[in-house]
Amino acid sequence: MPVANVDLIDGDLRYYSYNPASKDQLDQISELISANLSEPYSIYVYWYFFHQWPQYCFLVSEKSSEKILGVIICKVGPHRDVRMRGYIGMLVIEPEYRGRGIAKKLVKLSIEKMMEWDHVDEIMLETETSNAAALQLYELFGFLRTKRMHRYYLNGSDAYRLILPVLDRLATRIGFLDRIVDVPAGVV
Ligand SMILES: CC(C)(COP(=O)(O)OP(=O)(O)OC[C@H]1O[C@@H](n2cnc3c(N)ncnc32)[C@H](O)[C@@H]1OP(=O)(O)O)[C@@H](O)C(=O)NCCC(=O)NCCS
C-alpha cells in the first residue's frame, strides 16, 4: 500500500506529516518533547525514528501557523518474525492545548495509518504507571495493560506496557477487538 503524506484540517487545527527536510520541525519537536516528557531523549533517538519511519510522525499546528502544538512519533517492524508490531514512541500535546481531543485524534490517525500502510497485527507502547491521562487515553482505544516494568524510566518510575491487538485471530481471545478496529463513535 503506498504511503502518502497526511494533511488534514479539523476546525482551526491542521494535522500533517513530519517533513524530514525541515530542521525547524525537528528542533520544535525535540523542544516540545524535552519540556513535557520526563525521559531525556538525545538527537540520536529522533534520528533513529525519523530516518527509518518519517511517515509515522504526525504533527498538529494552528491552521495559520507553523508552531507545533502536538506530536506523535511511531515506528513499525516485525516482532519475533511472527507478527508486525506498531509502536508509539512519544506523544506530547502543548499544555494549553490539552483536553481538546488532539491526542485522541493523533492516536487514531497513527493506528489507522499503521493498519493501512503496514498491516500491523498489534500496537505497543509504554507509559508511566502514574500517568493517568495517558492510560485513560490509550485504554479508550482498547489498549490492554500486559506488563508492569519496575523502575523502567530513568527517573525511577515504573511503566506499564500496553498492547492493542489488531490480529483477527486475537479476536477469539480478546473481547475488546471490535473497539479497536472500529473506534467507537464519539471517541474522535
Ligand atoms: C496525555 C496527553 C498526550 C493527552 O493529550 P490531550 O490532547 O489533552 O488528550 P485528549 O484531549 O485527546 O483526551 C483524550 C482522552 O484522554 C483522557 N485524558 C486526557 N487528559 C486526561 C487527564 N488529565 N486525566 C484523565 N484522563 C485524561 C480522557 O479519557 C480523554 O478523553 P475524554 O476527554 O473523552 O474523557 C497530554 O496530557 C500530554 O501531552 N501529557 C504529557 C506527555 C505525556 O504524558 N504523554 C504520553 C506519554 S505515553
Side-chain angles (χ1 to χ4, degrees):
M1 190 65 70
V3 171
N5 272 346
V6 167
D7 199 346
L8 304 165
I9 299 290
D10 183 21
D12 53 351
L13 298 175
R14 177 177 164 231
Y15 294 78
Y16 55 102
S17 298
Y18 163 69
N19 172 7
S22 170
K23 167 86 168 63
D24 176 58
Q25 285 188 0
L26 176 58
D27 290 344
Q28 287 198 57
I29 291 167
S30 66
E31 264 173 48
L32 185 61
I33 288 173
S34 351
N36 289 283
L37 285 184
S38 66
E39 199 75 346
Y41 293 107
S42 78
I43 188 68
Y44 299 107
V45 177
Y46 297 107
W47 286 347
Y48 167 76
F49 279 97
F50 293 159
H51 283 175
Q52 297 179 80
W53 303 277
Q55 72 276 26
Y56 284 124
C57 173
F58 302 108
L59 308 173
V60 191
S61 294
E62 297 271 8
K63 256 189 322 198
S64 53
S65 162
E66 307 268 287
K67 183 176 178 329
I68 297 172
L69 313 170
V71 57
I72 190 164
I73 300 176
C74 312
K75 66 172 187 164
V76 170
H79 176 64
R80 296 186 178 167
D81 292 332
V82 292
R83 57 180 72 154
M84 193 56 110
R85 175 179 271 186
Y87 178 75
I88 300 179
M90 298 176 219
L91 167 66
V92 168
I93 308 299
E94 188 78 72
E96 56 272 37
Y97 285 82
R98 291 181 190 166
R100 292 176 45 173
I102 298 176
K104 225 187 287 183
K105 183 121 188 158
L106 284 176
V107 171
K108 180 170 186 277
L109 179 65
S110 304
I111 293 172
E112 286 173 351
K113 292 304 172 192
M114 287 192 263
M115 290 172 69
E116 181 186 339
W117 294 337
D118 278 295
H119 308 289
V120 292
D121 300 311
E122 63 185 15
I123 299 171
M124 193 192 86
L125 61 95
E126 297 98 17
T127 190
E128 287 186 33
T129 52
S130 59
N131 193 340
L135 287 168
Q136 180 136 351
L137 164 69
Y138 290 118
E139 285 174 350
L140 267 180
F141 284 91
F143 279 84
L144 306 167
R145 298 179 200 193
T146 59
K147 194 174 182 180
R148 183 176 181 130
M149 292 171 293
H150 183 60
R151 297 181 68 82
Y152 180 79
Y153 292 104
L154 288 176
N155 67 5
S157 59
D158 293 359
Y160 283 124
R161 170 165 296 160
L162 302 185
I163 294 191
L164 178 70
V166 179
L167 261 185
D168 277 353
R169 67 186 151 86
L170 289 179
T172 55
R173 289 196 286 126
I174 307 282
F176 296 91
L177 192 73
D178 54 346
R179 292 179 58 196
I180 297 158
V181 175
D182 196 8
V183 176
V187 164
V188 170

